[in-house]
Amino acid sequence: LSNFEKPNFQGKLQQRRAKLNQQINRELRLRTGAENLYRATTNQKVKETVSLELSFVNSNLQLLKEELEELNSSMEVYQTDSEKVNVPMIPLGLKETKEIDMTIPLQDFISEHYGEDASLYMAEIKEFMDLRQAMRTPSRNGAGLELLMEYYNQLYFLDQRFFAPHKTLGVHFHWYDSLTGVPSFQRALAFEKGSVLFNIGALYTQIGARQDRSTMPGIHNAIDAFQRAAGAFLYLQENFSHAPSLDMSSPALSMLVRLMVAQVQECVCERITLTMEEDDLMSNLKAAQEAARVSDVYSLVLQAMSVPLLKDYVPFSWISVVQVKTQHFRALAHYYTAIALCDCTGELKALMQVHTRPPDRLCLQEPEDRLRLGKAHLRKAIIRHEEALRLHGVCKMLRKMDILQEVLSYGHTRSLEKYSDIDQEDDFCEIAEAPEIQSHTHQKPDIQPPDFSLVRITDIFHRLGPLSVFSARNRWVGRHVCLIREETGLGLTLRGDSPVLVAGVLPGGCAEAGLREGDYIVTVNGSDCKWAEHAEVVRALKSCSERGVELDVITLHSHEVHTWNIINLITAPLT
């Protein structure tokens, strides 16, 4: 696919995935209804009919899930367009979500809780709904990540503004499992936040897989993207619990973190091989240990994929890729060690340390013994390459990936040719046994947690007032007060900003009849001053006419939580 065709194809892929999710959802509803009817009826004929219907529905479900798995296994479309051959990486498809209309619930909450005319906030509600709609189909680049993070940050404010501790907004958030398409829904905003965070991680995997890893900048960008993907999944695992969908369960997220770490390690190995000197001993040994490390971490990924909850959940193509890479990089470790032994000169100590144990009955100071051990490593490399090719052939999806076939075949052919070059017909020495390679990395993956502060936003509903007071977690009583200035003034003392607090009411003053200590001033003569600074409110009160000043104030049911707002602030008496 060309650069122009790929983004378009990725969009169509996501649309097809969304359609499949809807079809799976419909079949699941049909199955639930049929199962309920089967349990409820005592009529044998009805039971037989329902049983036949269930068989048909289950067959449809299986076909749809297989089609979805094939889409989720479409790794090639997310790979780089570089002519240089790279081993394909595993990207994740984004979770799909249903379109929802929150207009009525938000309007009702603004009217009931904040006591304001909800029609005045239609622009804000529309802005939020437009943002959610855009978030459903982000572009596969930095702009898409910014969009997801912007929406995630807005959810913090939405949570504070509209989600009371013991009351739901009455909105159901529908999301589909990333791998199976099984729908889940919850009223908790945490599910929406967790799903968006999952998509941030998934989008990083797609960005990482698309990098041209035949260049140093491309490898650096891929490492950064996979580390950030791992950070998003780890943050989700540590901060969100009781996920209703399997892709956000702790075992699945743990597996995804390990997978991303393995892909980072693979990029580190590629960077070593990209800059290595082919006839340099230390370069080859370094590459061998890095390749062994990659094989080890993919073995850990395979273990994570094999836990009971996931063994029938993870796509077979993913498992196959991980198995192939485990064998492929172990083969590369033996190959680079063989090159170091056969073609390079250097320190004996380094050759000994690269092995997990000393070679049996071999003296590596002797050229013949070094050659024998090199041949033994090449034999192991060839065996591992052949196993990687066998595993590749077992999986239908991998057989369609020409690029992976090319990489595996090249590695196998290279090892065979090297073995043929050094093999001697008159070599009657006992075959040596090659020890395993001691894995080691010169750059451990640095998991990067999401930094949401990188995307600065303004609370869409900021006109409701400062969150310290005007939030869903606070309750208050509002009053309208009219004060007539006396010779001694209005008789009150103010503190703080945004909103300004009545710090004291002078006994016998005109304010005593309508105000009390702890009140927040919301308007002065009809002008909103929830966000006004201290000096602005003082100025407005001092400029009142002889007819007096009209105030709207609120009294919190408990203002203990707001004492931090008024500590160390200047007190200004109004006289």
Side-chain angles (χ1 to χ4, degrees):
L1 294 173
S2 67
N3 282 332
F4 175 77
E5 291 170 326
K6 267 197 175 180
N8 186 43
F9 187 74
Q10 289 165 7
K12 289 182 178 178
L13 198 69
Q14 202 70 18
Q15 290 173 7
R16 181 60 186 148
R17 186 180 286 117
K19 187 175 180 180
L20 279 173
N21 286 332
Q22 292 171 3
Q23 289 174 315
I24 290 171
N25 188 23
R26 184 170 63 249
E27 294 295 331
L28 285 171
R29 289 201 304 268
L30 285 172
R31 186 173 71 177
T32 300
E35 287 173 343
N36 290 339
L37 179 58
Y38 186 86
R39 286 192 294 265
T41 187
T42 56
N43 187 307
Q44 189 59 35
K45 191 171 183 180
V46 172
K47 277 185 177 289
E48 290 174 3
T49 304
V50 172
S51 180
L52 184 64
E53 179 67 22
L54 274 171
S55 176
F56 179 72
V57 169
N58 286 329
S59 177
N60 277 351
L61 264 175
Q62 185 61 33
L63 290 172
L64 289 170
K65 287 183 177 181
E66 286 176 4
E67 189 175 350
L68 183 62
E69 180 180 340
E70 189 168 335
L71 279 183
N72 289 327
S73 303
S74 300
M75 291 175 277
E76 206 161 10
V77 69
Y78 295 109
Q79 309 303 318
T80 175
D81 295 304
S82 170
E83 294 181 1
K84 178 77 174 180
V85 176
N86 290 121
V87 181
M89 296 294 190
I90 297 178
L92 274 77
L94 303 188
K95 288 174 72 69
E96 299 287 345
T97 180
K98 278 187 176 182
E99 182 178 355
I100 58 174
D101 188 354
M102 299 174 64
T103 303
I104 300 301
L106 292 177
Q107 281 185 311
D108 289 345
F109 198 87
I110 289 171
S111 299
E112 295 169 11
H113 184 78
Y114 292 96
E116 298 209 28
D117 183 353
S119 65
L120 300 177
Y121 287 86
M122 284 305 299
E124 284 90 342
I125 294 173
K126 184 179 185 304
E127 182 181 352
F128 179 80
M129 295 306 302
D130 288 347
L131 178 61
R132 189 183 191 277
Q133 181 66 15
M135 172 279 306
R136 296 176 64 204
T137 54
S139 55
R140 271 48 172 184
N141 52 30
L145 285 169
E146 285 190 15
L147 177 63
L148 288 173
M149 286 196 171
E150 179 185 356
Y151 181 68
Y152 184 90
N153 287 345
Q154 285 292 350
L155 289 179
Y156 165 79
F157 290 110
L158 192 79
D159 185 25
Q160 298 292 312
R161 297 284 191 193
F162 296 101
F163 285 80
H166 305 294
K167 182 182 178 183
T168 66
L169 198 59
V171 175
H172 287 92
F173 299 101
H174 290 254
W175 288 84
Y176 296 93
D177 189 287
S178 173
L179 297 181
T180 65
V182 174
S184 301
F185 65 89
Q186 279 192 354
R187 291 183 177 182
L189 191 64
F191 182 42
E192 178 92 342
K193 293 171 71 176
S195 298
V196 174
L197 185 56
F198 184 95
N199 276 359
I200 290 172
L203 191 49
Y204 270 124
T205 71
Q206 295 181 15
I207 291 172
R210 286 176 52 196
Q211 299 304 313
D212 179 5
R213 304 192 319 274
S214 65
T215 67
M216 291 300 284
I219 290 177
H220 174 79
N221 291 337
I223 289 174
D224 181 68
F226 290 130
Q227 287 181 160
R228 293 184 184 279
F233 296 133
L234 184 60
Y235 184 87
L236 183 58
Q237 182 185 13
E238 292 175 344
N239 291 278
F240 294 85
S241 57
H242 309 298
S245 58
L246 193 51
D247 56 355
M248 290 166 60
S249 66
S250 185
L253 292 171
S254 179
M255 178 272 293
L256 290 174
V257 171
R258 287 192 176 187
L259 176 60
M260 294 306 114
V261 166
Q263 297 192 147
V264 170
Q265 206 69 67
E266 184 176 344
C267 293
V268 171
C269 182
E270 288 176 331
R271 184 167 60 191
I272 297 295
T273 57
L274 189 65
T275 58
M276 68 182 290
E277 299 175 31
E278 292 186 5
D279 58 351
D280 179 67
L281 175 77
M282 296 309 296
S283 291
N284 278 282
L285 294 181
K286 188 177 181 181
Q289 290 191 297
E290 289 285 357
R293 177 63 180 165
V294 176
S295 179
D296 284 351
V297 292
Y298 273 117
S299 294
L300 294 176
V301 175
L302 196 57
Q303 290 177 22
M305 289 178 169
S306 303
V307 299
L309 190 65
L310 301 182
K311 64 181 181 179
D312 296 324
Y313 170 73
V314 177
F316 179 63
S317 58
W318 285 23
I319 296 172
S320 298
V321 167
V322 171
Q323 289 175 328
V324 166
K325 289 189 176 187
T326 302
Q327 297 296 328
H328 174 69
F329 282 97
R330 185 61 61 179
L332 291 183
H334 286 293
Y335 172 79
Y336 289 124
T337 304
I339 297 300
L341 286 162
C342 299
D343 296 349
C344 306
T345 57
E347 293 184 24
L348 176 63
K349 183 179 179 182
L351 286 170
M352 296 295 291
Q353 289 178 339
V354 78
H355 295 100
T356 55
R357 61 174 177 80
D360 295 333
R361 299 187 297 278
L362 292 175
C363 178
L364 298 186
Q365 290 177 328
E366 299 295 331
E368 289 185 359
D369 281 356
R370 287 177 64 152
L371 192 64
R372 286 177 61 201
L373 185 59
K375 287 175 64 176
H377 278 294
L378 283 172
R379 281 193 294 272
K380 277 199 169 182
I382 291 167
I383 291 170
R384 295 280 190 165
H385 278 308
E386 289 173 348
E387 178 61 10
L389 284 165
R390 186 192 70 79
L391 291 166
H392 173 269
V394 168
C395 179
K396 181 179 71 172
M397 286 302 302
L398 296 196
R399 289 198 299 271
K400 297 179 181 179
M401 298 182 68
D402 296 337
I403 188 171
L404 183 56
Q405 172 76 39
E406 188 176 345
V407 170
L408 299 177
S409 297
Y410 171 77
H412 183 232
T413 302
R414 183 175 62 173
S415 294
L416 282 172
E417 289 177 349
K418 184 63 182 177
Y419 188 86
S420 178
D421 288 345
I422 64 175
D423 192 31
Q424 300 172 6
E425 290 185 8
D426 58 350
D427 183 3
F428 298 107
C429 295
E430 183 182 350
I431 296 175
E433 176 64 28
E436 285 300 324
I437 309 304
Q438 183 70 51
S439 70
H440 178 72
T441 182
H442 295 78
Q443 180 185 333
K444 292 183 178 180
D446 180 18
I447 295 177
Q448 298 288 327
D451 186 358
F452 300 107
S453 65
L454 293 176
V455 180
R456 297 188 175 278
I457 65 165
T458 300
D459 174 14
I460 290 177
F461 294 94
H462 73 280
R463 285 201 298 130
L464 289 172
L467 267 178
S468 58
V469 174
F470 300 95
S471 74
R473 287 150 179 78
N474 289 333
R475 298 193 66 81
W476 56 83
V477 176
R479 300 189 312 284
H480 185 75
V481 179
C482 183
L483 301 180
I484 306 296
R485 177 186 292 276
E486 299 176 350
E487 292 183 4
T488 56
L490 292 174
L492 69 153
T493 305
L494 304 181
R495 286 181 185 159
D497 300 292
S498 307
V500 172
L501 176 84
V502 176
V505 177
L506 301 181
C510 67
E512 188 177 27
L515 297 178
R516 67 188 68 168
E517 183 179 340
D519 285 347
Y520 288 97
I521 298 178
V522 177
T523 69
V524 177
N525 286 333
S527 296
D528 191 301
C529 59
K530 291 192 289 285
W531 285 99
E533 294 182 356
H534 184 92
E536 292 179 66
V537 176
V538 170
R539 201 160 42 245
L541 291 175
K542 283 185 174 181
S543 63
C544 66
S545 65
E546 293 181 357
R547 289 178 296 178
V549 58
E550 295 188 15
L551 305 177
D552 284 313
V553 298
I554 62 169
T555 304
L556 290 181
H557 286 323
S558 172
H559 41 227
E560 294 175 2
V561 293
H562 304 293
T563 54
W564 62 273
N565 279 330
I566 59 176
I567 294 175
N568 296 327
L569 295 175
I570 298 173
T571 299
L574 288 172
T575 59

